[in-house]
Amino acid sequence: MTEPSRTLVAYYRVSTDRQGKSGLGLDAQRMAIAQFASANGFHTIEAFEEIETAKGADALERRPKLAAALASARRHKCAVVVAKLDRLSRDVAFIAGLMAQRVPFIVAELGADADPFMLHVYAALAEKERAMIAARTKAALQQKKAAGAKLGNRTNLAEASKAGAASNAKEADAFAANVLPVIASIRDAGTTSHRGIAEVLNARAVRTARGGTWTAVQVGRVLARAA
């Protein structure tokens, strides 16, 4: 018989009717959770599938299956497991609200040891990464437009590039500040080399500011920028 402490309630989510009807994404989530549970000695006792289509779904009342998963986890005194953090939400505030429900969450791709603080950090990093990607070019163009430049004029490319570089530097500083708590936790756990830290970051699915994988050089740059 499975011990209560090793039981889990699974939650799967896709964002459109089309994905829900086709099963796109759901099979991958089921497989990820099944592999995680098997590797870590857990047993899934209930599973809930959510297909949400409307914007503003980062509100618990609009996610009835998530609410049901929380209620089930409370009854069974266990955690809710998701395949990836964005299956809970892409919004940091919403994830913070879920943490306040006092039901533990496990993210399969991050491992069983990622505590609520780390989930907040990962969510903040993901949100910051999306914002940086969306804003990088837009900021430079808006700055040039405000200065009266004609956008699309090739003679302005050098100045636009310079403005974009300044914007990128500011965003890089913010990203470094966000990722430092993760690096600090890795160091506290005993991994201190830049190469080792990069390997742990990649294993935890933490992405660089550009959405790529980490190298020792990139870790060094983040630490140097923070210093």
Side-chain angles (χ1 to χ4, degrees):
M1 182 176 179
T2 304
E3 297 179 9
S5 61
R6 304 306 290 176
T7 58
L8 295 171
V9 171
Y11 175 72
Y12 314 107
R13 181 176 71 94
V14 290
S15 302
T16 66
D17 284 327
R18 187 176 180 182
Q19 285 182 328
K21 291 174 182 177
S22 69
L24 182 64
L26 288 175
D27 286 342
Q29 292 177 54
R30 293 190 193 101
M31 182 178 296
I33 288 176
Q35 291 175 343
F36 168 82
S38 176
N40 292 276
F42 286 102
H43 173 66
T44 301
I45 54 175
E46 276 194 275
F48 297 85
E49 290 183 8
E50 193 103 69
I51 302 172
E52 52 89 1
T53 59
K55 290 183 178 180
D58 283 332
L60 195 55
E61 61 269 21
R62 299 182 186 178
R63 302 266 288 275
K65 296 298 184 180
L66 178 55
L70 289 168
S72 176
R74 289 193 193 95
R75 287 196 306 272
H76 296 290
K77 297 181 180 179
C78 66
V80 173
V81 62
V82 294
K84 300 179 67 176
L85 188 58
D86 65 4
R87 295 306 82 199
L88 283 178
S89 176
R90 298 177 188 274
D91 182 82
V92 178
F94 183 71
I95 289 177
L98 291 179
M99 298 299 110
Q101 296 287 324
R102 298 188 182 280
V103 172
F105 285 92
I106 293 176
V107 179
E109 75 169 357
L110 299 181
D113 297 328
D115 59 24
F117 169 73
M118 294 306 299
L119 294 184
H120 279 92
V121 172
Y122 287 129
L125 285 169
E127 186 175 90
K128 181 64 180 177
E129 179 185 326
R130 289 193 303 274
M132 287 171 67
I133 291 172
R136 189 170 286 118
T137 302
K138 185 178 178 181
L141 292 175
Q142 287 179 337
Q143 186 172 354
K144 293 304 300 178
K145 186 176 180 180
K150 293 182 179 180
L151 300 183
N153 185 343
R154 295 185 64 84
T155 61
N156 293 325
L157 289 179
E159 293 181 29
S161 177
K162 184 177 180 181
S167 177
N168 289 347
K170 184 176 181 181
E171 291 168 352
D173 287 339
F175 182 82
N178 280 329
V179 81
L180 278 176
V182 182
I183 293 177
S185 73
I186 294 171
R187 282 175 155 177
D188 290 344
T191 301
T192 57
S193 72
H194 291 181
R195 183 183 297 276
I197 292 170
E199 290 174 354
V200 176
L201 288 170
N202 290 329
R204 293 184 180 182
V206 177
R207 298 301 179 189
T208 65
R210 294 182 179 273
T213 56
W214 290 87
T215 66
V217 172
Q218 289 169 314
V219 171
R221 286 173 180 169
V222 167
L223 293 174
R225 183 175 290 275

